[in-house]
Amino acid sequence: DIQMTQSPSSLSASIGDRVTITCRASQNIITYLNWYQQKPGKAPRLLIYTTSRLASDVPSRVSGTRSGTEFTLTITNLQPEDFATYYCQQSYNSPFTFGPGTQVDIK
Amino acid sequence: QVQLQESGPGLVKPSETLSLICTISGGSISTYWWTWIRQVPGKGLEWIGYNYNSGTTKYNPSLQSRVTISVDNSKNQFSLSLSSVTAADTAVYYCARPVAGTNDAFDIWGQGTMVTVSS
């Protein structure tokens, strides 16, 4: 199975901040990387798929990029609704695997 | 707008079979990779597998020997069966549908149903 790692595991930020979360795969996954947001007691919500494609109804201040084998989720102008846990997921090979998550909370 | 809703027992005894149904509303069940994903409370997400077009299935090798995902076109439902459950199968189970034309980025999710394995 492809192992996914995320950093940091948690971070604190303020409204209006720019936040970046990094994800790495244990092998080359080309651009097959998706990002989800999850709030307590709720199902995950797809934010980004195939590295940089914005899912429906996701604001443009959310973006995804890739540099080599490192993938980054960036959220600019952090809003109250952005405080949540974020997961990356590789879709290059089944079993599709998720990262352990990054919790973003209020500073 | 497509919505998914999981249903099934919230408590299953060890060694028995966990059975869940996902009902699709607002859309057709045809030509999608209908997927189950689970999450141990407070932990990460685990892809269980999918059924495509009532035919092709693919399962997580870690569960392969115990899992079946079926599609019932007449009822617009798909189901999960997981046999010989243990406490390690206690989790929130989600049904999900991927982005159209893909099988691997999930943009429609059910609300999730908590299943506890305990005697």
Side-chain angles (χ1 to χ4, degrees):
Chain A
D1 298 3
I2 297 174
Q3 306 302 314
M4 307 301 294
T5 58
Q6 287 183 234
S7 60
S9 57
S10 65
L11 65 90
S12 296
S14 301
I15 301 296
D17 280 356
R18 178 177 182 269
V19 164
T20 60
I21 299 168
T22 298
C23 177
R24 288 187 178 87
S26 60
Q27 65 183 72
N28 185 11
I29 59 171
I30 314 177
T31 60
Y32 292 93
L33 192 283
N34 311 313
W35 289 98
Y36 298 85
Q37 175 195 66
Q38 187 177 34
K39 297 181 179 178
K42 299 292 188 182
R45 172 195 180 199
L46 180 66
L47 298 176
I48 299 278
Y49 62 105
T50 323
T51 297
S52 58
R53 300 183 70 176
L54 220 56
S56 297
D57 299 326
V58 175
S60 59
R61 54 195 182 76
V62 177
S63 62
T65 57
R66 169 198 175 202
S67 176
T69 59
E70 181 176 289
F71 298 85
T72 301
L73 175 71
T74 301
I75 306 172
T76 59
N77 187 22
L78 203 66
Q79 295 298 299
E81 61 267 27
D82 298 329
F83 293 99
T85 300
Y86 293 84
Y87 295 95
C88 62
Q89 175 230 337
Q90 65 82 17
S91 51
Y92 176 73
N93 227 352
S94 72
F96 305 132
T97 48
F98 293 82
T102 295
Q103 185 172 347
V104 177
D105 58 28
I106 301 174
K107 187 185 289 184
Chain B
Q1 182 166 345
V2 176
Q3 292 185 318
L4 307 181
Q5 177 69 57
E6 304 91 350
S7 59
L11 181 65
V12 181
K13 289 183 168 55
S15 79
E16 294 190 344
T17 297
L18 178 161
S19 297
L20 297 174
I21 290 173
C22 182
T23 301
I24 303 151
S25 58
S28 171
I29 198 168
S30 61
T31 62
Y32 280 101
W33 283 266
W34 298 103
T35 299
W36 288 94
I37 293 165
R38 70 181 183 179
Q39 184 173 32
V40 173
K43 300 291 176 86
L45 295 150
E46 180 179 29
W47 178 82
I48 297 172
Y50 64 61
N51 184 309
Y52 174 69
N53 219 20
S54 305
T56 303
T57 55
K58 193 140 195 174
Y59 302 126
N60 193 318
S62 67
L63 301 168
Q64 173 110 26
S65 63
R66 301 192 290 129
V67 68
T68 302
I69 297 175
S70 304
V71 171
D72 187 336
N73 290 287
S74 65
K75 294 183 179 178
N76 235 34
Q77 295 175 334
F78 63 106
S79 63
L80 170 69
S81 176
L82 184 66
S83 63
S84 305
V85 296
T86 70
D89 296 309
T90 294
V92 176
Y93 285 77
Y94 294 100
C95 57
R97 194 200 79 176
V99 172
T102 78
N103 67 344
D104 51 23
F106 308 104
D107 66 339
I108 308 286
W109 295 67
Q111 65 186 26
T113 187
M114 179 69 203
V115 179
T116 301
V117 178
S118 174
S119 55

